[in-house]
Amino acid sequence: MTATTTAVLPARALLLDMDGTLVNSDASVERIWRRWAERHGLDGDEVMKVVHGRQGYASMALLLPDRPMEQNYAENARLLAEETADTEGVVAIPGAREFLASLDGLPHALVTSADVALSTARMAAAGLEQPAVRITAESVGASKPDPEGFLKGAAELGVDPADCVVFEDSGAGITAGRAAGMRVVGIGPRAGFHQPDVVVRDLTQVRVERTAEGTILLHVSA
């Protein structure tokens, strides 16, 4: 999209990732995963290319392919506790508060790879209200890029996947949204590398319009 382009996307429900989409938690993620990389003798920059958007155990499985999954699950539990306690520097993505307010009364859900404790801590640290419908790590058996979370979100809202629009920042999340048969609005610099339908810098570039028929019209400019 060019700087003067505006797209209008119709939808009946919106499915929202958290980290990198509503909340900027990069500082915390970097601190914890770079320490993890150092403990395992891995290159921190390479680790950071993998971890965004996935549950921790899934990232570990890619980075330490010969390690038993039981160890990944156990270490992921420890990392989740570290991340939940470390909210320094966690802030709202520009426009997130206003964007969420504009969705009041409209079908939408949080679909995050974080668990309940971590998503609650980060949304609170960023000063954001939690959507009433939340699909968290506890809700699914497979991490993004598997589409399970987004499909469950659509089912919870009673909306056909084709009528949903996903908001995501990571390659894993964008892949998951597309695999679910949904259109994807990419948020931030990471998103542009993974071919979402449209890309914006942040949520200040998205306006929500309600129609009399109950359809949501997303006015997306970049």
Side-chain angles (χ1 to χ4, degrees):
M1 295 176 66
T2 67
T4 57
T5 298
T6 300
V8 180
L9 301 178
R12 293 198 173 276
L14 306 183
L15 302 177
L16 316 173
D17 175 50
M18 181 182 71
D19 292 304
T21 300
L22 297 173
V23 171
N24 182 345
S25 57
D26 282 359
S28 174
V29 173
E30 289 263 346
R31 282 192 295 270
I32 287 165
W33 278 98
R34 284 187 182 277
R35 286 201 299 265
W36 181 89
E38 186 175 355
R39 289 198 298 270
H40 291 281
L42 299 174
D43 181 87
D45 291 340
E46 294 304 311
V47 167
M48 296 313 302
K49 292 176 183 177
V50 171
V51 300
H52 292 291
R54 291 182 172 86
Q55 292 192 44
Y57 73 82
S59 297
M60 293 172 191
L62 291 173
L63 293 161
L64 298 172
D66 298 325
R67 191 166 80 158
M69 279 302 295
E70 291 76 10
Q71 292 184 34
N72 296 335
Y73 290 128
E75 192 166 27
N76 182 50
R78 293 193 292 273
L79 255 63
L80 281 170
E82 285 184 51
E83 290 182 294
T84 301
D86 182 359
T87 56
E88 183 180 352
V90 173
V91 296
I93 293 289
R97 191 170 292 105
E98 296 80 6
F99 176 71
L100 286 171
S102 74
L103 298 182
D104 186 38
L106 294 173
H108 67 287
L110 189 73
V111 181
T112 176
S113 294
D115 64 4
V116 169
L118 179 57
S119 60
T120 300
R122 284 186 175 162
M123 292 288 280
L128 299 177
E129 291 289 331
Q130 291 262 21
V133 178
R134 295 184 289 275
I135 306 298
T136 63
E138 295 93 340
S139 310
V140 298
S143 170
K144 299 172 186 176
D146 191 282
E148 181 186 358
F150 288 124
L151 292 172
K152 282 200 169 184
E156 286 279 338
L157 295 171
V159 177
D160 189 276
D163 292 326
C164 296
V165 171
V166 165
F167 284 72
E168 264 286 0
D169 73 301
S170 70
I174 291 167
T175 298
R178 295 178 76 87
M182 302 172 182
R183 290 152 294 152
V184 181
V185 176
I187 308 294
R190 283 191 290 267
F193 295 104
H194 304 287
Q195 299 182 317
D197 292 274
V198 292
V199 184
V200 295
R201 179 185 64 252
D202 55 45
L203 290 165
T204 64
Q205 296 177 286
V206 181
R207 180 172 64 84
V208 176
E209 178 187 353
R210 308 162 186 245
T211 71
E213 297 77 23
T215 301
I216 301 166
L217 294 180
L218 296 170
H219 298 263
V220 183
S221 60

